Amino acid sequence: MDRLALAGVALIVVGAALVVTAPPDPQYSVSVSGPTEAPEDEPVVAFEDLSEENRTLFRESFDDGTRSGDPPPIESMYVEYEGETYEMAASAHEGPVLSLIQPPIGGIVALVGCLLLGYRYYRS
């Protein structure tokens, strides 16, 4: 394999890696705020009654919030935790700029690699 073909294969691999490793868009955040009072029409769920997944999410979000590319299992709820009521809420927002520019750049890099390979084998 000559250098031109090797460069083409390397560009295809790098381009594919850029596309696959792009951050997700949108991203989801979960936050816990409070202590607060729940509105009268909103139920308050005891922490112990939450599913294991929501208990873990609550604990992780209690101090500093969490971010994920996967939608969380909640939208908004009030949770009684250690005698206080807290609001647990999820929101969607745009991901980092890389989530928008990394896939097209990776596609262009892979396309250049394909063109190099095509030129290499057309030339021979």
Side-chain angles (χ1 to χ4, degrees), residues 20-42:
V20 171
T21 61
D25 186 47
Q27 288 196 341
Y28 300 90
S29 295
V30 177
S31 61
V32 174
S33 59
T36 188
E37 289 193 28
E40 288 184 24
D41 60 339
E42 290 287 331

Side-chain angles (χ1 to χ4, degrees), residues 19 32 40 45 59 73-74 78 83 88 95-96 99 103-104 107 110 115 124:
V19 170
V32 174
E40 288 184 24
V45 179
R59 281 189 211 107
I74 59 115
Y78 290 90
M88 186 173 170
S99 67
L115 292 173
S124 60

Side-chain angles (χ1 to χ4, degrees), residues 10-124:
L11 286 174
I12 291 170
V13 169
V14 168
L18 285 172
V19 170
V20 171
T21 61
D25 186 47
Q27 288 196 341
Y28 300 90
S29 295
V30 177
S31 61
V32 174
S33 59
T36 188
E37 289 193 28
E40 288 184 24
D41 60 339
E42 290 287 331
V44 177
V45 179
F47 176 78
E48 297 78 23
D49 294 338
L50 294 173
S51 68
E52 183 62 37
E53 181 181 21
N54 281 342
R55 281 194 302 259
T56 301
L57 192 58
F58 183 90
R59 281 189 211 107
E60 290 174 354
S61 303
F62 190 77
D63 293 325
D64 58 356
T66 59
R67 283 193 166 196
S68 163
D70 299 323
I74 59 115
E75 287 182 19
S76 178
M77 71 170 64
Y78 290 90
V79 177
E80 184 179 332
Y81 180 69
E82 294 182 352
E84 301 283 353
T85 301
Y86 295 88
E87 182 179 10
M88 186 173 170
S91 60
H93 48 88
E94 290 184 9
V97 173
L98 279 179
S99 67
L100 300 175
I101 62 172
Q102 194 170 332
I105 289 174
I108 291 170
V109 169
L111 178 63
V112 169
C114 289
L115 292 173
L116 277 177
L117 280 177
Y119 175 73
R120 158 58 181 96
Y121 289 108
Y122 174 75
R123 193 178 64 157
S124 60

